[in-house]
Amino acid sequence: MWRFAGDDVPAARARVEAALAAGVTLFDTADIYGPDNGEPFGAAEALLGRVFAESPGLRDTMVLATKGGIVMGVPYDSSATYLASAIDASLARLGVDRIELWQIHRPDMLTHPQEAARALEDAHRAGKIAAIGVSNHSAAQAAALAKFLPVPLASHQPEFSALALGPLTDGVLDQAMAEEMAVLAWSPLGGGRLARPIDDHVHAVAALLDLKADAYGVSRAAAAYSWIMAHPARPIPIVGTQNPERIGEIPQALVPRWTRAEWYAVLQTSMGEKLP
């Protein structure tokens, strides 16, 4: 919901309903979503809150996730005081009394993980958040936070796509499998580059995705999502389209099947080199 913006509540509701109709149940937002769209801090959460206010039944049909810890001009604050205030502010903007998954958006190097964990434990105990996750954290940073939490970390949210391969080798996906954490892959189309290739490298990756898409009668985007989902950590692509028609195509991602040779061909083309 990074680009979930505007003042048209019926149009916003239509996007939510299109996703639900397509079988999407996880809605991932953040308090920082707004300024990138020329809107105030918290605008995306506030718009979703207005949708809930007009159609209260929608709230109970989804797993609601949000994030906090990015502060304009700071840039990061995971102190206990700030995290507690950020969680309360998100609840107020969304107009809900509980968030299923609350994630620290980016790691704050000036906060001891025990301090951040204390605020998250308090919110969890109070019933404000049902589960705790991390976004843009290394495996070591996640492990340090997990050491001080009374409940397991539920999720990682890394950038992961056929163009952003870091989680495959930096330990994040390995940790997710070892600790049974969900993986929410943001920017699964490489920041839109896979949809609109602008150089030979991306064209080469897109060409392999097109072969798979053509073989199964789906879009290139669906092939890109399915490539991510083929990993045994079972990553969940965070689809960012705001077009109801394209939202309706999301289930196409469940169709393609990858052989090992095909999957590794995409990987090696993206790497620009052969694996040893």
Side-chain angles (χ1 to χ4, degrees):
M1 308 192 83
W2 181 23
R3 299 297 185 190
F4 194 66
D7 292 320
D8 190 337
V9 176
R13 185 178 67 249
R15 283 175 270 167
V16 171
E17 290 174 340
L20 291 167
V24 173
T25 55
L26 173 67
F27 287 73
D28 180 69
T29 186
D31 57 13
I32 193 64
Y33 294 167
D36 283 346
N37 301 322
E39 296 188 331
F41 185 92
E45 287 184 329
L47 178 58
L48 185 56
R50 293 168 65 191
V51 170
F52 291 156
E54 287 200 2
S55 303
L58 292 178
R59 168 65 186 99
D60 296 330
T61 63
M62 66 178 65
V63 175
L64 180 59
T66 193
K67 302 180 287 293
I70 298 179
V71 183
M72 300 288 288
V74 173
Y76 310 132
D77 190 344
S78 290
S79 65
T81 300
Y82 181 75
L83 291 189
S85 67
I87 291 168
D88 286 344
S90 287
L91 289 168
R93 281 188 292 265
L94 290 162
V96 301
D97 56 14
R98 189 179 83 151
I99 293 163
E100 276 75 59
L101 175 65
W102 196 90
Q103 305 149 93
I104 298 180
H105 204 152
R106 288 187 180 272
D108 172 21
M109 299 176 189
L110 294 179
T111 295
H112 193 290
Q114 186 173 25
E115 180 183 354
R118 185 172 72 248
L120 297 171
E121 179 182 357
D122 289 346
H124 181 267
R125 186 185 300 113
K128 296 177 180 180
I129 58 177
I132 299 164
V134 292
S135 175
N136 301 297
H137 281 55
S138 69
Q141 289 165 334
L145 178 63
K147 178 177 175 60
F148 298 104
L149 285 170
V151 294
L153 275 178
S155 63
H156 261 299
Q157 186 169 160
E159 180 179 9
F160 181 38
S161 71
L163 298 178
L165 306 174
L168 291 168
T169 55
D170 64 12
V172 165
L173 295 185
D174 299 307
Q175 181 184 49
M177 291 185 289
E179 302 297 332
E180 298 184 343
M181 299 168 67
V183 177
L184 314 182
W186 66 264
S187 203
L189 296 181
R193 290 179 294 156
L194 285 172
R196 297 175 297 279
I198 59 174
D199 59 41
D200 291 343
H201 170 243
V202 180
H203 271 291
V205 175
L208 292 177
L209 295 174
D210 284 343
L211 287 175
K212 179 59 63 176
D214 291 345
Y216 282 87
V218 300
S219 67
R220 181 191 299 165
Y225 301 147
S226 71
W227 186 85
I228 293 169
M229 295 162 66
H231 190 276
R234 301 179 66 191
I236 301 165
I238 302 295
V239 180
T241 180
Q242 299 295 301
N243 182 312
E245 183 176 342
R246 291 178 182 169
I247 291 171
E249 296 173 356
I250 291 174
Q252 292 182 7
L254 300 171
V255 176
R257 293 293 181 266
W258 292 83
T259 67
R260 274 181 164 75
E262 292 168 339
W263 192 91
Y264 276 112
V266 173
L267 176 64
Q268 292 178 114
T269 299
S270 182
M271 293 170 55
E273 60 181 317
K274 294 290 186 181
L275 289 165

